[in-house]
Amino acid sequence: MAAVIHVVGARPNFMKMAPLIRALRDAPGGFEHLLVHTGQHYDEHLNDAIFRDLELAAPDVHLGSGSGSHAEQTARIMVAFEALVRDRAPQLVVVAGDVNSTLACSIVAAKANVPVAHLEAGLRSGDWAMPEEINRVVTDRLSQLHLTPSADADANLLREGASPQGIVRVGNCMIDSLLRNRERAQRGPALSHFGLRAGNFGLVTLHRPSNVDDPGRLRHFLRVLSDLAARLPLVFPVHPRTRARIAALEISEAALSAAGLQLAPPLGYLDFLQLESAAAIVVTDSGGVQEETTALGVPCLTVRDNTERPITVTHGTNPLVGSDPAPPPVGDQDETIPVELAGVTRFITRSQIRYAQAQGDYARLHTPAGSHLVRIPLSTLEERWAAAGFVRIHRSTLVSLRHVKEVRMEHGRCSVVLDEVELQVSRRHTRELRDRLLRPNRPAE
Ligand code: UD1
Ligand code: UDP
C-alpha cells in the first residue's frame, strides 16, 4: 500500500515538489511514497531535462495523458488517476501549484475520500480568465492540508473559510529548489553557449495564453522585444505553446535574431538559473520566474495585469507592466499601485485615478471602479505625481488633470467636474489650477 502519492505533471510542479519528496525520503523511519507523473508535459526540454537537473528519481507511475483541450486533458488524467487510486489506496495525495494535473488529481482523490495536501495553497490573482485561478480555487476547496508559501496565502484561505488547523506555512518550495541548485548552476555552460556576459543581456519567457494566443498581441510583443534587443541582447527560451503561435505568424527567426533577439528551445533548469541570475533584466509572464527573480534580486518586468504573487511586487523587484499592447503616451509612463481590498492585494494604475483625498496620514484614491485607502500622505503623492498631471485643488484634494471634464467659475467660486463628481477648488489653489490648465503641456487624454 502506498502511503503518500505525489502528483506532478508540468514543468513548474517539478521544482516545487522536489524539496518535499527529498525531505520525506530522508525523514527518519522513511515514508512509503509513489511519484506519479500525469504526462501533461512530455518534451525532453520541459520534462526529462528538468528531472535530470533536479536529480529527481524517475516517476514510479506515468499516466501518459499528453496535451489536449482543458476538458480533454483534465478528463484523461482523472480517468487514469482514478484507476491508480483504486488500485493503490493511498492515505494522502499531494498536489502542487495550479496546473490542470493539480485540479484533476485533487478532484479524483476528494471523491475517493482520500485527503489532499496542496503545496502552494492560497495564492489568488482574482483573475477568473486565467485557467490557473480556477485550478487553485477548486484545489484549495478540496484540500484538507494547505501548505502555503506566504502570509497573503494564509489570509486568502482564512477569508474563504478554510480551517486554520489545516493551514501550514511551509515557505516557498520553488525557492528552496533555487537555493539548493544555484551554485551548481553557476558552473554551467549557458552564458558561454549564448555568447553572453553577466549583467549585459536580458532574459525573456512568455507562455500565458492571454499573451501568446492572440496573434496581434504576440506580434506586438515581438516588435517591442526586437526594439529592446537593439540596445540589450535578449535571449528568449520559447515554450512550445509560444513556439507554435510564433510559427503561425510566419515571422522568420532569422529576422528576430538579426535584431538581437535570440530564440532558443526551453532551457534545462540549471542553464535557466544561470542566465536568470546573471541577467540585467528579465521579462516574463511566468509565476515561478517572478518569484525566482525576486529571490535573486534581479529586476523583472511582469507582462501581466495582476499577479497571485503580490509579494514579488511589494518586494520592489517586480513591477507589473500590464499586457495591453497600446503604449502609454510619450512622457507619461504609468505606475502600478498595490492596494488592499478585503485583505487581498490588488493593483490599480495611476492613470485610472480621478482624484485623491487626504484621510489623516493616508490618502483615498478614487477610480471609476471604487476607492482605495493607501498608506501614503497626500503631500507625497503631490510631489510624486505633479509631473504626471496631478494638481492640488484644495488642502485635502489632488485631481488628475487628464480626467477634468469641466472647470466652473460661478460667483467667484471655482469647481472642477470629473465624470459624475464636482469638487470645490479653494481660493488659494484656483490660480495654480488655472495656470496649470493654461500650460501647453497638459497631459494627453
Ligand atoms: C501549463 C499550465 C500553466 C503553466 C505551464 C508551465 C495549465 C492549464 N497550464 O501551460 O499554468 O504555467 O504549463 O509551463 O495547466 N506542448 C508541447 N510539449 C509538451 C507540453 C505541451 O509541445 O511537453 C504543447 C502542446 O501543443 C500543448 C501546448 O503546448 O497543447 C500547451 O500545453 P499545456 O500543458 O496544455 O499548457 P501550457 O501552456 O504548457
Ligand atoms: N524554467 C526552466 N527553463 C526555461 C524557463 C523556465 O527551467 O526555459 C524554470 C524556471 O526557472 C522556473 C520554472 O521553470 O523554475 C517556471 O515554470 P513555468 O514558467 O513553465 O511555469 P509557471 O511558473 O508560470 O507556472
Side-chain angles (χ1 to χ4, degrees):
M1 184 174 88
V4 181
I5 288 184
H6 298 273
V7 176
V8 292
R11 176 169 69 185
N13 290 163
F14 312 147
M15 295 80 178
K16 290 168 197 170
M17 204 62 105
L20 187 61
I21 293 175
R22 194 166 294 114
L24 284 179
R25 199 187 50 204
D26 296 345
F31 267 83
E32 201 182 349
H33 71 95
L34 200 68
L35 180 59
V36 175
H37 194 313
T38 64
Q40 178 172 347
H41 282 177
Y42 43 85
D43 276 2
E44 155 73 23
H45 296 300
L46 288 186
N47 188 69
D48 308 51
I50 310 286
F51 261 70
R52 272 198 303 278
D53 282 354
L54 286 164
E55 298 173 314
L56 262 175
D60 300 297
V61 181
H62 202 286
L63 304 179
S65 72
S67 304
S69 71
H70 284 278
E72 286 165 350
Q73 187 175 61
T74 310
R76 269 204 299 271
I77 298 170
M78 286 177 70
V79 170
F81 192 62
E82 188 177 50
L84 184 80
V85 167
R86 206 181 299 123
D87 188 34
R88 303 293 184 120
Q91 288 167 349
L92 180 70
V93 168
V94 187
V95 295
D98 52 21
V99 301
N100 284 347
S101 303
T102 315
L103 172 75
C105 294
S106 45
I107 294 176
V108 168
K111 291 202 169 180
N113 292 320
V114 178
V116 177
H118 184 201
L119 181 61
E120 199 189 67
L123 299 188
R124 298 289 180 268
S125 68
D127 180 355
W128 287 94
M130 284 182 82
E132 292 82 1
E133 184 72 356
I134 299 168
N135 294 346
R136 287 180 202 116
V137 171
V138 177
T139 301
D140 279 339
R141 192 68 188 84
L142 297 173
S143 301
Q144 279 71 32
L145 184 56
H146 298 104
L147 305 173
T148 64
S150 48
D152 56 293
D154 299 2
N156 291 335
L157 290 165
L158 291 171
R159 197 167 31 81
E160 291 170 13
S163 153
Q165 287 77 37
I167 300 174
V168 181
R169 176 116 48 94
V170 295
N172 192 318
C173 283
M174 191 158 228
I175 301 306
D176 291 339
S177 273
L178 168 80
L179 298 177
R180 180 184 166 89
N181 290 292
R182 192 179 168 186
E183 239 178 75
R184 209 154 60 93
Q186 300 319 319
R187 299 195 288 271
L191 276 171
S192 60
H193 171 80
F194 286 102
L196 299 167
R197 267 189 305 119
N200 198 27
F201 69 95
L203 179 66
V204 180
T205 82
L206 288 176
H207 70 275
R208 297 255 93 81
S210 54
N211 280 336
V212 304
D213 285 0
D214 179 273
R217 187 164 281 211
L218 181 58
R219 195 180 284 282
H220 168 77
F221 287 139
L222 291 174
R223 201 175 303 126
V224 170
L225 291 171
S226 301
D227 287 350
L228 180 59
R231 278 167 279 165
L232 184 73
L234 294 182
V235 180
F236 184 1
V238 187
H239 188 282
R241 169 188 289 277
T242 314
R243 174 145 323 252
R245 303 296 185 263
I246 293 176
L249 293 180
E250 295 179 357
I251 295 179
S252 98
E253 262 183 49
L256 294 172
S257 86
L261 178 61
Q262 282 196 67
L263 268 47
L267 299 181
Y269 180 55
L270 295 176
D271 284 344
F272 189 81
L273 282 192
Q274 189 189 42
L275 296 193
E276 198 179 22
S277 313
I281 190 157
V282 174
V283 177
T284 195
D285 58 11
S286 156
V289 173
Q290 286 174 60
E291 291 177 333
E292 290 172 347
T293 49
T294 295
L296 291 166
V298 172
C300 173
L301 301 177
T302 297
V303 188
R304 285 181 48 188
D305 297 321
N306 49 57
T307 178
E308 59 289 335
R309 294 159 163 98
I311 201 168
T312 62
V313 177
T314 48
H315 209 76
T317 52
N318 183 23
L320 296 176
V321 292
S323 50
D324 185 348
V330 175
D332 187 21
Q333 303 299 324
D334 214 346
E335 182 184 326
T336 306
I337 301 146
V339 293
E340 290 272 316
L341 201 62
V344 182
T345 305
R346 305 240 181 269
F347 299 90
I348 57 171
T349 51
R350 190 186 56 212
S351 58
Q352 293 174 286
I353 298 166
R354 267 50 180 160
Y355 62 102
Q357 279 179 318
Q359 206 163 311
D361 283 344
Y362 290 17
R364 183 166 287 284
L365 308 178
H366 295 265
T367 74
S371 73
H372 309 274
L373 198 60
V374 289
R375 293 172 198 217
I376 310 174
L378 203 69
S379 52
T380 307
L381 292 181
E382 187 180 20
E383 266 170 41
R384 224 160 87 182
W385 293 349
F390 280 76
V391 61
R392 203 181 275 254
I393 57 161
H394 190 274
R395 188 169 37 83
S396 60
T397 314
L398 203 60
V399 297
S400 162
L401 292 185
R402 70 161 66 209
H403 293 296
V404 171
K405 299 279 178 283
E406 209 179 313
V407 180
R408 292 191 178 147
M409 287 295 289
E410 274 169 353
H411 313 300
R413 306 281 304 167
C414 178
S415 64
V416 290
V417 180
L418 307 131
D419 298 328
E420 283 101 59
V421 189
E422 183 170 351
L423 300 168
Q424 289 300 320
V425 182
S426 74
R427 281 188 200 287
R428 197 177 134 217
H429 293 97
T430 300
R431 177 191 284 269
E432 194 197 334
L433 176 69
R434 204 190 50 204
D435 290 352
R436 288 292 300 271
L437 286 170
L438 291 176
R439 262 189 230 160
N441 63 348
R442 181 182 169 176
E445 287 289 318

